[in-house]
Amino acid sequence: MLSVLSRSFSRSSKNSLGNRSVLIVGAGVAGPVLAYFLHRYGVHPVVVERTPQLRTTGQTVDVRGAGREVVRRMGVNSVIREKITREDGLALVDSAGRTQAAFGVKDFGGQGFIADIEILRGELVNILYEQSRNHTQYIFGDHPSSINDQGDHVQVTFASGNIRDFDLVIGADGIRSKTRRLLFSDKSPIHYLNMYTAYFTIPYSQSDGTWARWYNAPKGRTVLIRPDNQGTTRAFLTFRSSQRGYEELDPDMQKELLQKVFADAGFETPRVLNGLMNSNDFYFEAIGQVKMDQWSRGRVTLVGDAGYCASPVSGMGTTLAFVGAYILAGEIGRHHDHTEAFRQYEALMRPYVTKAQKLIPGSIHVASPQTSTGIAFRNALLSFVARPAVTRLLTKLTESKTAEKVTLPDYEIVLAQ
Ligand SMILES: Cc1cc2nc3c(=O)[nH]c(=O)nc-3n(C[C@H](O)[C@H](O)[C@H](O)COP(=O)(O)OP(=O)(O)OC[C@H]3O[C@@H](n4cnc5c(N)ncnc54)[C@H](O)[C@@H]3O)c2cc1C
């Protein structure tokens, strides 16, 4: 996918590129990765995170394709692999919990339904923070209330009342980015997929075993139960609805809504709904993709979900955050002129993002069928795909596609020139 990146690069100027300061808004995945590489390229990163401490909630995320190469270049491959959730694979189950189709973690070259790098978001965010914190100023419990591009610098006023100047500002503040709203006041670029999802942790039960279990109920409802590496179980409830605005409700109302929507879903849903009411890490989101014609304006740009969220349906959100942060840091590192850095960043990332955001036609219907007949048909289809011969064939295809995804520019070499 990133084969375009294999062309040779040169540094725009050998003048001092250091002493520049960059404000990164958001300490999720993209923020700390960007901070780490900016420091490596001699730029001074400051990260501001709205929450009072690192936001380590969230369920399992995965890292795929070129994202894995960024993980290696950041030096966190082994520590991430120590923390993976160690699920054996994904089983599609019926209302009695009987397996209809099963995919092991090694199927599709380790990058199938359950990848071989599945890690709790909180553990990943913590690793990235630890790897970047020694060379980054982290500010917690604050956020920009205004961002004024003055031409030769950016003046940022924080909610705390502090005012500081930076050479550049990067919004890494997630799908509902406030940086994006301050920067581009026009209409929201979020394209909703008419689906809602909720994540929360419930007590482990013997039936959870070591496999993720995926259950579909009619009317586009999905219950996904995944054992984690901490002795608990991560539950995901997803439902289809064209009604807008549930993400704006307060958490108690969202929980009430889920109780109603999933009341007659079957399988182990009563247990999940019971766990929902007692969970303290409940997260609810309208699933959408962020699509923008341009990610940058003046001295400000966006990275990760803020600029190009691909949605959990794509399975590429965290990977895009890694790759985008790596390329943006490299381009800032090698260009003194931010206009050129942002131009190159967009030119390199845009095709990758476009491809990642392209959902396989009908994938939402396949993932969440509306009727019992649709569910039965989908399960029969996937039970065919799960046959070892078919999986092996598809694995070969997946491996050859993955190989093209790992060619990233080597900015260390560029900057040493
Ligand atoms: C709490 C949470 C839970 C999640 N759980 C899952 C999950 O279970 N599965 C999944 O696939 N994806 C999940 N995601 C999304 C996933 O982390 C991202 O799709 C992906 O990793 C890209 O990361 P990102 O750094 O671009 O954005 P994010 O990971 O969303 O990080 C954005 C960061 O910016 C901070 N922030 C937001 N607004 C401001 C502001 N105005 N000023 C300063 N800081 C701000 C947020 O608190 C957050 O720390 C979750 C995201 C969050 C925030």
Side-chain angles (χ1 to χ4, degrees), residues 25-26 29-30 49-50 55 57-59 121 143 173 199 305 318:
V25 185
V29 174
E49 165 60 45
R50 189 182 52 181
R55 199 172 173 194
T57 45
Q59 311 290 353
R121 179 184 177 278
H143 62 270
D173 44 353
Y199 318 125
D305 276 7
T318 304

